[in-house]
């Protein structure tokens, strides 16, 4: 009642003001008030209707996209002769490949190379001196024979799914009388199955106070590393999720857990949305959703950040700085989403160029402040040898072009639709301090209503499996223990 009274008073005031301003038209004041009332009412109705439409459009849950479990991505003529067996596979660093690298390195060594500006660290891109150090390590300290042995320490396989030979590592735990649960570990770009090498033994070894242990399946995404690339467009995260699901079925797993970061998060999330009766739990180290509520909510949060994100407002706000950061740092993603094949030609010609392109991402996404350090801060977080292994996976297989196409396929829109469908599967997020992709918990809960927990660390970055294998493995155990309860 008091409010209404106040409104009336305000209108009276307005009336007075109008009267004063229209001294000469004293007669017109009464009708102007009536007119004003009508305008107010109409405006209120329009605003209410618009708000309702915005609300229903933002929270609208679309229909599940149609899933074709048998879509063929290989050459048509291989359809009749598909071999569905699971074949052992070994990584080979052949003499021919090594000789070619030696030649390429010699060529690079003789080149006149542009020097980076003084005092700019990595703000103009990869620093020439840091790259020279990386190159020296590759040339003189990287032993192909040792690394081949290291990479083959786990059993590798290939099997044909939907026309594509899919490569994966599969490690069974050596335990008796303990429940073994399957988990698929999904990498992103520009990463590879290699990122999980220190995580695998931690997950497949039983721990005190846990009455289960993992069997780890670690694939190369199609088009990445040793997995075959599609021969026609359309193989985006949505379709890759179906291939990964079919891979698990091929291995006899109709129910399983998922862990992922980067594109691995997106693909895992889609698997959990499409196959909620198969996915027993979803663990992600990229706590982000691109749903409409998250998008608009995050924008609105700029007005009052701590209302939307009380715990980590600095991850998203000030929004202006965040947007400026994204514009400055995601040019690669725009390039790959438009002309992956063109930049791919360049990267596929030069091992050092490829390494530089990949290294830039490891530098920045591990900690955005690394770009202000002359050496890119890389060795504060990683072993150079490990990083070269990852570059080798792309170089040896010539897969950088096909890997980058995932950005272009993402524009088809179906992944956006899936972001707008809540995932009923049990979910757990691991939030590292320097992970740049983040959504407030309130929106994560809209997309993942069965969110069982979120661990936050005041360290660590985007490539968690490589940088923080123990913290990642610990958290996966913790999450799955909660899922099983
Ligand atoms: C392969 O098969 C698909 C589906 O039947 C068809 O759309 C496509 O044109 C075929 N491609 C070639 C090269 O024949
Ligand atoms: C990096 O890894 C290689 C191979 O595993 C190892 O020989 C080397 O000691 C490591 N370097 C550092 C600095 O940890």
């Amino acid at each position: 009642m008091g409010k209404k009274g106040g409104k009336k008073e305000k209108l009276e005031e307005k009336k007075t003001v109008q009267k004063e301003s229209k001294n000469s038209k004293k007669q017109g004041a009464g009708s102007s008030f009536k007119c004003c009332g009508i305008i107010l009412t109409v405006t209120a109705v329009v605003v209410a209707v618009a708000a309702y439409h915005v609300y229903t459009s933002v929270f609208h849950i679309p229909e599940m996209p149609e899933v074709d479990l048998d879509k063929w991505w290989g050459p048509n003529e291989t359809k009749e002769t598909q071999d569905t067996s699971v074949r052992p596979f070994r990584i080979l660093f052949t003499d021919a490949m090594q000789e070619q690298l030696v030649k390429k390195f010699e060529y690079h060594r003789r080149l006149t190379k542009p020097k980076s500006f003084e005092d700019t660290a990595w703000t103009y891109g990869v620093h020439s001196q840091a790259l020279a150090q990386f190159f020296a390590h590759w040339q003189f300290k990287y032993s192909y024979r040792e690394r081949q042995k290291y990479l083959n320490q786990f059993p590798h396989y290939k099997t044909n799914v939907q026309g594509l030979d899919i490569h994966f590592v599969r490690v069974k735990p050596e335990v008796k009388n303990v429940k073994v649960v399957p988990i698929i570990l999904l990498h992103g770009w520009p990463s590879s199955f290699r990122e999980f090498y220190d995580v695998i033994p931690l997950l497949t070894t039983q721990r005190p106070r846990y009455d289960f242990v993992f069997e780890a399946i670690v694939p190369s995404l199609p088009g990445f590393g040793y997995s075959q690339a599609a021969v026609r467009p359309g193989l985006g995260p949505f379709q890759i999720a179906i291939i990964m699901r079919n891979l698990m079925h091929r291995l006899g797993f109709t129910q399983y857990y998922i862990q992922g970061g980067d594109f691995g998060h997106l693909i895992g999330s889609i698997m959990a949305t499409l196959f909620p009766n198969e996915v027993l739990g979803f663990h992600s180290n990229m706590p982000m959703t691109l749903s409409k509520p998250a998008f608009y909510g995050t924008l609105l949060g700029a007005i009052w950040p701590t209302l939307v994100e009380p715990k980590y407002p600095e991850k998203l706000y000030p929004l202006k700085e965040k947007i400026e950061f994204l514009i400055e740092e995601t040019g690669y993603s725009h390039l790959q989403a438009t002309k992956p094949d063109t930049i791919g030609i360049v990267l596929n010609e030069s091992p050092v160029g490829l390494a530089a392109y990949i290294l830039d991402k490891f530098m920045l996404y591990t900690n955005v402040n690394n770009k202000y350090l002359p050496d890119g801060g890389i060795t504060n977080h990683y072993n150079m040898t490990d990083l070269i292994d990852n570059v080798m996976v792309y170089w040896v297989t010539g897969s950088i072009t096909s890997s980058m196409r995932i950005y272009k396929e993402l524009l088809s829109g179906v992944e956006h639709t899936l972001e707008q469908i809540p995932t009923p599967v049990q979910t757990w997020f691991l939030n590292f301090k320097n992970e740049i992709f983040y959504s407030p918990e309130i929106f994560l809960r809209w997309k993942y209503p069965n969110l069982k927990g979120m661990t936050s660390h005041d360290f660590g970055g985007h490539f968690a499996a490589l940088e923080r294998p123990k913290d990642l493995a610990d958290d996966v155990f913790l999450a799955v223990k909660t899922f099983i309860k």
Side-chain angles (χ1 to χ4, degrees):
M1 284 301 265
K3 257 188 177 173
K4 262 190 183 168
K7 211 176 185 179
K8 223 177 183 178
E9 267 170 37
K10 264 192 186 161
L11 288 175
E12 296 275 344
E13 260 176 46
K14 238 184 189 169
K15 207 169 137 187
T16 323
V17 171
Q18 275 166 354
K19 259 186 186 170
E20 278 169 8
S21 67
K22 295 178 183 175
N23 259 344
S24 55
K25 288 187 179 177
K26 267 191 180 170
Q27 289 293 329
S31 65
S32 141
F33 170 60
K34 250 186 223 158
C35 176
C36 192
I38 290 165
I39 290 172
L40 273 180
T41 312
V42 170
T43 311
V45 168
V46 168
V47 167
V49 169
Y52 175 76
H53 274 283
V54 168
Y55 179 85
T56 48
S57 128
V58 167
F59 291 98
H60 171 71
I61 296 170
E63 264 183 52
M64 196 70 89
E66 229 170 88
V67 172
D68 178 358
L69 290 175
D70 302 313
K71 202 170 165 70
W72 198 255
W73 296 103
N76 284 352
E77 50 284 11
T78 59
K79 227 171 186 173
E80 302 304 315
T81 55
Q82 187 193 12
D83 174 4
T84 57
S85 65
V86 176
R87 295 156 279 145
F89 171 77
R90 268 178 66 80
I91 286 178
L92 272 184
F93 287 168
T94 62
D95 290 346
M97 183 275 292
Q98 291 179 46
E99 278 160 28
Q100 189 208 37
L101 267 183
V102 167
K103 276 189 203 146
K104 294 255 182 200
F105 283 174
E106 183 56 21
Y107 177 78
H108 178 78
R109 210 179 53 75
R110 287 164 185 254
L111 275 177
T112 309
K113 293 178 276 290
K115 265 193 163 165
S116 292
F117 279 137
E118 293 173 348
D119 305 327
T120 54
W122 286 49
T123 56
Y124 274 70
V126 175
H127 195 278
S128 57
Q129 220 171 322
L131 185 64
Q133 267 167 22
F134 188 83
F135 177 55
H137 190 102
W138 198 352
Q139 242 187 325
F140 303 119
K141 295 205 180 137
Y142 190 82
S143 156
Y144 295 97
R145 199 168 47 88
E146 261 175 39
R147 296 324 284 169
Q148 177 181 302
K149 195 169 157 213
Y150 174 87
L151 290 170
N152 284 316
Q153 68 179 291
F154 302 124
H156 293 247
Y157 305 89
K158 277 189 178 183
T159 190
N160 195 281
V161 181
Q162 296 169 249
L164 301 180
D165 271 353
I166 301 299
H167 159 254
F168 59 96
V169 164
R170 178 179 186 178
V171 181
K172 298 181 191 198
E174 288 172 22
V175 287
K176 279 187 192 130
N177 308 321
V178 180
K179 189 176 172 186
V180 176
V181 295
I183 188 165
I184 183 168
L185 308 176
L186 297 168
H187 68 82
W189 189 94
S191 197
S192 64
F193 69 93
R194 168 63 182 85
E195 194 187 342
F196 292 103
Y197 260 46
D198 287 339
V199 174
I200 293 168
L202 294 171
L203 291 182
T204 55
T205 305
Q206 206 201 346
R207 327 184 143 199
R209 297 191 303 283
Y210 287 91
D211 58 1
F212 64 89
V213 66
F214 294 98
E215 172 168 357
I217 293 87
V218 192
S220 294
L221 298 179
F224 287 68
Y226 295 92
S227 283
Q228 198 178 341
V231 300
R232 63 187 68 85
L235 186 56
F238 166 66
Q239 298 290 352
I240 293 176
I242 296 167
I243 292 181
M244 291 296 110
R245 176 265 186 195
N246 286 344
L247 169 68
M248 291 305 268
H249 278 240
R250 173 73 46 78
L251 304 182
F253 301 121
T254 51
Q255 292 205 302
Y256 46 87
Y257 294 92
I258 301 177
Q259 201 292 320
D262 195 80
F263 273 108
H265 156 83
L266 185 55
I267 292 162
S269 170
I270 293 171
M271 289 170 81
T273 311
L274 293 178
F275 310 109
N277 298 326
E278 299 188 7
V279 180
L280 297 168
F282 173 47
H283 181 280
S284 162
N285 55 294
M286 196 168 88
M288 187 179 73
T289 165
L290 286 173
S291 66
K292 284 187 198 170
F295 180 76
Y296 292 110
T298 306
L299 284 184
L300 277 179
I303 301 165
W304 189 353
T306 48
L307 184 70
V308 170
E309 178 49 53
K311 284 189 203 148
Y312 309 102
E314 71 283 356
K315 282 211 171 211
L316 297 162
Y317 306 107
L319 205 55
K320 183 171 168 281
E321 275 174 29
K322 184 76 185 172
I323 290 169
E324 279 169 1
F325 170 83
L326 287 176
I327 290 172
E328 184 174 348
E329 296 297 349
T330 56
Y332 76 98
S333 136
H334 190 187
L335 181 59
Q336 293 167 200
T338 49
K339 309 282 176 182
D341 288 27
T342 310
I343 178 66
I345 293 167
V346 182
L347 300 178
N348 213 37
E349 283 282 325
S350 159
V352 184
L354 175 69
Y357 197 73
I358 290 177
L359 216 52
D360 205 13
K361 294 286 123 0
F362 277 85
M363 178 280 298
L364 188 83
Y365 285 176
T366 299
N367 185 334
V368 296
N369 292 319
N370 276 344
K371 68 174 172 177
Y372 303 114
L373 303 175
D375 67 353
I378 287 176
T379 49
N380 300 344
H381 304 275
Y382 304 107
N383 183 326
M384 209 83 108
T385 304
D386 292 349
L387 292 172
I388 298 174
D389 280 349
N390 183 57
V391 172
M392 284 292 285
V393 170
Y394 283 89
W395 175 257
V396 173
T397 57
S399 62
I400 190 65
T401 303
S402 48
S403 77
M404 292 187 299
R405 287 179 187 151
I406 195 172
Y407 287 80
K408 190 166 173 92
E409 305 302 357
L410 193 55
L411 299 182
S412 77
V414 63
E415 285 81 9
H416 199 249
T417 303
L418 279 155
E419 278 293 302
Q420 197 61 16
I421 302 176
T423 304
V425 167
Q426 305 185 92
T427 301
W428 187 288
F429 283 110
L430 174 56
N431 173 32
F432 282 104
K433 182 171 194 288
N434 301 311
E435 171 62 70
I436 64 159
F437 301 105
Y438 184 76
S439 294
E441 191 177 325
I442 179 176
F443 305 126
L444 290 174
R445 283 193 186 279
W446 187 85
K447 167 66 178 152
Y448 305 98
N450 209 351
L451 184 60
K452 285 285 160 71
M454 177 141 121
T455 307
S456 290
H457 287 312
D458 60 359
F459 51 77
H462 183 74
F463 301 98
L466 194 63
E467 189 196 356
R468 295 281 173 178
K470 186 171 177 302
D471 298 301
L472 181 67
D474 288 356
D475 202 56
V476 170
F477 264 105
L478 189 64
V480 171
K481 190 176 184 175
T482 312
F483 294 158
I484 286 176
K485 252 182 210 162

